[in-house]
């Protein structure tokens, strides 16, 4: 959250706290925070170091609420020229003291980023490509929102433009999957290319989704970037430290999601995975129906492999994330396999049939 209303100090924080009322739980900047003790005292009582500093237009803030609510702030509209923002190397929580929605190209028209700088919201993001500009340039900054900016310069100064000159605000394309961005306070930035059966996908009707235990945590469609000649999926993925993030793919041309992903990542708060020059390569294989059940399993728990009709298993393997075969067994039409796995994680079950068809499926060990 941030505000285009002129704010500088404790009075602004008090207005924000009163606007949140009983619904407010916590407010925090990058350095300080306050907590509402309403649930303990029966009345709104905010306590924390942020009370000594208040709020300003340069900062971005994270707000936790117990229920949806609207905040009304009153005062004079801020002039962005009066609120330059100092960016230090690494992540910066920044406000948006502009009372107009703008594309990133217009909003940062007078600012010189460093190569591979990243800006992100709870839903989307963009990265700076030297000699070209921001990608995607459809990224929009909106009044009332705050942003996180990863700077690669030791120090830089950002002052927003407010001209909207040559500005185009692009509507987001409808998505097959949806995620709740308000469940988690943090997220990661993923820049990926997508491959199916070894072929890089170059279509805007391909959607890449990120999932944790089957729950969507972020989704986006491929878009073309002319300087590199690649089609990228730029994902903002919400989550918690250490979670295993898997990927799914939706083909809008065929209305199918029947693909098996060959890789995954581990969620680390505010990490950046991949770049325009070295994207994460998310690889899928076309698959026919292959199931393992139960899935997830406990450590050392046996599971059943169910293959398509007419197939006979030649061998089945359990493979870890390093590509090491942990177990290999020969089988028949269906196979009960003992995993023998001592470590929780995500593994690949690879099945080779007598027909020489190869199937893959993810196995989660709790």
């Amino acid at each position: 959250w941030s505000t285009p209303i002129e704010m500088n100090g404790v009075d602004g924080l008090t207005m924000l706290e009163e606007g949140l009322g009983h619904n407010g739980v916590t407010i925090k900047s990058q350095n300080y925070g306050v907590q509402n003790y309403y649930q303990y005292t029966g009345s709104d009582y905010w306590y924390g170091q942020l009370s000594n500093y208040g709020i300003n237009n340069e900062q971005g803030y994270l707000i936790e609420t117990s229920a949806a609510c609207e905040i009304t702030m009153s005062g004079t509209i801020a002039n962005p020229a009066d609120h330059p923002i100092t960016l230090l190397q690494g992540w910066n929580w920044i406000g948006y003291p502009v009372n107009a929605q703008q594309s990133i190209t217009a909003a940062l028209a007078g600012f010189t980023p460093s190569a591979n700088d990243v800006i992100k919201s709870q839903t989307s993001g963009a990265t700076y490509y030297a000699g070209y500009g921001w990608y995607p340039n459809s990224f929009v900054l909106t009044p009332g929102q705050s942003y996180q900016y990863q700077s690669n310069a030791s120090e830089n100064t950002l002052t927003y433009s407010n001209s909207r000159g040559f500005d185009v605000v692009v509507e987001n394309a409808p998505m097959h999957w949806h995620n709740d961005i308000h469940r988690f306070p943090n997220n990661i930035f993923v820049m990926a290319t997508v491959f199916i059966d070894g072929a890089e996908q170059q279509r805007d009707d391909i959607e890449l989704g990120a999932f944790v235990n089957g729950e969507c945590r972020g989704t986006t469609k491929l878009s073309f970037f002319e300087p590199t000649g690649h089609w990228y999926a730029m994902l903002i993925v919400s989550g918690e430290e250490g979670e295993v993030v898997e990927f799914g793919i939706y083909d809008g041309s065929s209305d199918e999601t029947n693909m098996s992903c060959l890789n995954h990542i581990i969620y680390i708060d505010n990490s950046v995975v991949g770049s325009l020059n070295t994207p994460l390569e998310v690889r899928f294989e076309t698959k026919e129906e292959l199931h393992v059940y139960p899935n997830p399993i406990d450590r050392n728990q046996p599971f059943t492999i169910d293959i398509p009709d007419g197939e006979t298993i030649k061998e089945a393997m359990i493979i870890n994330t390093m590509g090491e075969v942990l177990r290999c067994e020969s089988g028949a039409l269906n196979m009960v396999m003992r995993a023998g796995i001592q470590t929780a994680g995500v593994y690949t079950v690879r099945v080779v049939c007598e027909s020489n068809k190869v199937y893959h499926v993810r196995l989660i060990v709790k």
Side-chain angles (χ1 to χ4, degrees):
W1 177 89
S2 70
T3 179
I5 302 297
E6 190 72 47
M7 289 288 159
N8 187 19
V10 175
D11 290 343
L13 177 60
T14 300
M15 190 189 308
L16 175 58
E17 293 169 345
E18 291 176 350
L20 290 168
H22 302 338
N23 295 317
V25 179
T26 58
I27 305 168
K28 62 179 181 178
S29 68
Q30 204 162 0
N31 298 309
Y32 307 107
V34 288
Q35 181 177 357
N36 189 358
Y37 284 81
Y38 172 79
Q39 61 176 318
Y40 306 108
T41 63
S43 60
D44 293 314
Y45 177 72
W46 293 85
Y47 179 78
Q49 283 188 300
L50 189 61
S51 298
N52 299 325
Y53 300 92
I55 62 175
N56 59 55
N57 297 97
E58 295 82 31
Q59 292 276 321
Y61 300 89
L62 293 186
I63 298 175
E64 180 186 4
T65 63
S66 58
C69 60
E70 293 185 354
I71 305 169
T72 299
M73 308 294 284
S74 61
T76 304
I77 295 296
N79 180 357
D82 296 334
H83 298 282
I85 299 172
T86 299
L87 300 173
L88 301 179
Q89 189 169 31
W91 285 107
N92 302 264
W93 295 12
I94 61 174
Y96 181 60
V98 184
N99 194 35
Q101 188 180 63
Q102 300 183 95
S103 72
I104 190 169
T105 302
L108 275 59
F111 172 65
T112 304
S114 298
N116 299 317
D117 279 6
V118 168
I119 186 171
K120 64 176 182 174
S121 66
Q122 285 176 285
T123 58
S124 58
T127 185
Y128 187 77
Y129 192 80
Y132 174 85
W134 290 97
Y135 170 80
N137 57 18
S138 58
F139 182 84
V140 172
L141 286 86
T142 302
Q145 300 290 310
S146 69
Y147 301 90
Q148 294 183 350
Y149 190 104
Q150 187 188 58
S151 176
N152 287 293
S154 58
E155 185 172 330
N156 205 344
T157 301
L158 184 160
T159 303
Y160 288 106
S161 170
N162 193 21
S163 66
R164 294 196 56 140
F166 306 103
D167 189 16
V168 177
V169 175
V170 180
E171 294 292 332
N172 291 327
M175 297 294 174
H176 177 73
W177 292 300
H178 301 279
N179 62 303
D180 182 0
I181 62 171
H182 301 290
R183 280 198 60 206
F184 303 94
N186 298 309
N187 55 42
I188 63 177
F189 181 98
V190 178
M191 185 67 73
T193 49
V194 175
F195 293 77
I196 299 177
D197 295 331
E200 184 175 351
Q201 299 304 291
Q202 300 177 341
R203 296 182 284 133
D204 60 7
D205 56 2
I206 293 290
E207 180 178 341
L208 182 69
F211 298 86
V212 174
N213 294 329
E215 176 190 356
C216 183
R217 297 292 182 81
T219 188
T220 192
K221 290 186 176 179
L222 296 185
S223 63
F224 180 63
F225 186 56
E226 186 175 1
T228 63
H230 292 286
W231 290 68
Y232 296 96
M234 203 293 300
L235 270 172
I236 300 295
V237 182
S238 303
E240 295 180 336
E241 199 79 11
E243 289 184 321
V244 177
V245 180
E246 299 183 279
F247 297 99
I249 190 173
Y250 172 73
D251 187 337
S253 65
S254 61
D255 193 31
E256 291 182 352
T257 59
N258 192 31
M259 302 282 178
S260 176
C261 188
L262 304 182
N263 53 334
H264 66 271
I265 59 174
I266 303 299
Y267 181 96
I268 301 174
D269 275 343
N270 294 316
S271 58
V272 175
V273 181
S275 67
L276 289 170
N277 289 324
T278 55
L280 173 70
E281 295 183 353
V282 183
R283 295 185 175 271
F284 294 88
E285 285 189 352
T286 306
K287 67 175 183 179
E288 297 181 39
E289 288 301 316
L290 174 68
H291 299 286
V292 295
Y293 56 90
N295 192 11
I297 63 171
D298 294 321
R299 301 173 194 185
N300 293 317
Q301 180 182 356
F303 61 92
T304 298
I305 301 172
D306 188 9
I307 60 175
D309 292 341
E311 293 281 16
T312 302
I313 295 175
K314 181 187 296 184
E315 60 180 6
M317 290 165 276
I318 300 175
I319 304 170
N320 65 15
T321 56
M322 303 298 292
E324 300 168 332
V325 177
L326 304 182
R327 193 174 187 88
C328 182
E329 295 182 7
S330 58
L333 293 175
N334 292 289
M335 173 188 290
V336 176
M337 192 171 190
R338 295 190 177 276
I341 299 175
Q342 302 293 328
T343 305
V346 178
Y347 298 83
T348 298
V349 177
R350 184 175 187 268
V351 176
V352 181
C353 293
E354 295 292 346
S355 66
N356 291 323
K357 287 187 177 181
V358 180
Y359 302 93
H360 296 86
V361 67
R362 289 294 187 192
L363 176 68
I364 299 174
V365 179
K366 298 184 292 183

